[in-house]
Amino acid sequence: MLAGLAANAITFFFMGAQSILMAPYLQLVAGWSPVEVGVISIVTGVPTFALALGIPKLLPHANPRHVIQAGYVAMAAALGVMMLSVTMNGAFAPGVYLGAFLAGVGAGTVSSHASNVVALALPERGASQSGGIQSTMRNIGQALGVALLGAVLLFGITNTVRSGAASDMLVSRQVSERHSGMNVNLGSDKEFEEQISGIPMTSSERSELVRIDAHARSRSTRIAYAVGGAIVLLGLLTTPAIKTFDKGGQPAPGPSGPDRAAGASPRDWPRPHHDPPRRAPPATGAPRFSAMKTPGRRA
């Protein structure tokens, strides 16, 4: 059951990570329009919907453990592709669309069996009440994805810009000290110039700070993607606990059941016992005949 709850949480952790990292960077830094970002959401949503419904129908006997493992790998690969598509001043569009498609494949694959793993691991009465805890785990996973990776992104940008300005020979000490008290947000070059407009500096120092900020936001975004991918892959450690159960809460019977010892050949398996057929008793009231010997006559 815990492996199924972890699958629900990790799936929505992944969705939260995707929402906090991809859309803001594309709109604020790369300058993509809301329509273009919406198209990416469709690219992600279509395979998610198709696989979540299609895998149980087309592959009803698939091993849930292997299905969820494949979904985790696909989600981690999606974050890796998105990480590589990030540039200093934008994003590589084909990589973004490929990553969005892989994200849908991974999320749909895990979602196809995540709820069933939880429900089948419980008795029938408990399975009907498992929806509440599954919804709770989804909310927790999404909240952790947004909070954790958002913190990695924003703290990474601020600290990288501060350390870069302090070690850069083109930025004076006075400008670096004034800038060290500022928190840098994710945004375009123009927004960063407006943020530092109140600090007296030369044009060369301003250009150098803008370059440092561009490097910091791309580097921090990639680190956040990498952290998210690593957390998704940690979900593989929970998959050995996933088993296939029948509706009664017992392991499904198979060649490795208790009556079939490991390594035994099929001819050594116990044969089913059949009772011999019983003959119907004679009907009551029917006449019975018996063979009688008559004494023979003497000559």
Side-chain angles (χ1 to χ4, degrees):
M1 183 184 71
L2 293 179
L5 295 177
N8 283 282
I10 291 174
T11 301
F12 277 75
F13 171 89
F14 168 76
M15 293 180 178
Q18 185 183 6
S19 65
I20 195 62
L21 295 178
M22 184 179 67
Y25 194 90
L26 293 178
Q27 289 185 282
L28 298 176
V29 179
W32 288 32
S33 66
V35 175
E36 292 173 320
V37 176
V39 171
I40 295 177
S41 300
I42 296 175
V43 173
T44 302
V46 170
T48 300
F49 180 80
L51 292 175
L53 296 180
I55 289 179
K57 296 291 184 182
L58 301 178
L59 300 172
H61 302 293
N63 191 327
R65 181 188 304 169
H66 297 161
V67 172
I68 292 179
Q69 287 173 343
Y72 286 158
V73 173
M75 288 192 292
L79 293 177
V81 172
M82 293 178 186
M83 177 187 70
L84 296 177
S85 67
V86 172
T87 62
M88 289 184 63
N89 295 312
F92 182 59
V96 173
Y97 286 111
L98 176 60
F101 178 78
L102 290 175
V105 170
T109 302
V110 176
S111 299
S112 65
H113 279 284
S115 297
N116 291 337
V117 168
V118 177
L120 293 177
L122 297 172
E124 185 175 356
R125 184 175 181 180
S128 62
Q129 301 174 355
S130 65
I133 189 172
Q134 291 186 59
S135 299
T136 302
M137 294 302 295
R138 296 187 188 108
N139 293 333
I140 292 175
Q142 188 170 16
L144 287 176
V146 172
L148 177 61
L149 299 187
V152 171
L153 175 63
L154 296 180
F155 283 116
I157 293 176
T158 299
N159 292 332
T160 304
V161 171
R162 289 177 180 176
S163 61
S167 60
D168 197 311
M169 300 298 296
L170 298 178
V171 180
S172 64
R173 182 178 178 181
Q174 292 79 7
V175 173
S176 176
E177 290 178 352
R178 290 283 301 273
H179 183 270
S180 62
M182 299 175 58
N183 292 322
V184 182
N185 299 322
L186 179 65
S188 62
D189 292 345
K190 183 178 180 180
E191 292 175 347
F192 180 71
E193 289 182 358
E194 294 177 354
Q195 187 176 2
I196 62 175
S197 60
I199 303 176
M201 66 181 74
T202 64
S203 58
S204 61
E205 288 176 327
R206 182 175 289 103
S207 299
E208 186 64 16
L209 284 178
V210 170
R211 186 194 65 81
I212 293 173
D213 175 68
H215 172 73
R217 70 190 175 210
S218 62
R219 181 175 180 271
S220 299
T221 302
R222 290 185 174 185
I223 291 175
Y225 274 122
V227 171
I231 292 176
V232 170
L233 288 178
L234 287 177
L236 293 172
L237 300 178
T238 66
T239 56
I242 297 176
K243 294 181 176 63
T244 303
F245 293 88
D246 59 16
K247 291 185 178 179
Q250 301 296 328
S256 59
D259 293 334
R260 299 180 180 181
S265 62
R267 64 184 178 182
D268 297 329
W269 294 347
R271 304 298 181 186
H273 177 73
H274 298 285
D275 294 331
R278 297 181 179 180
R279 295 182 179 181
T284 58
R288 298 184 179 182
F289 299 93
S290 60
M292 299 179 62
K293 293 184 179 180
T294 58
R297 293 182 180 180
R298 295 184 178 178

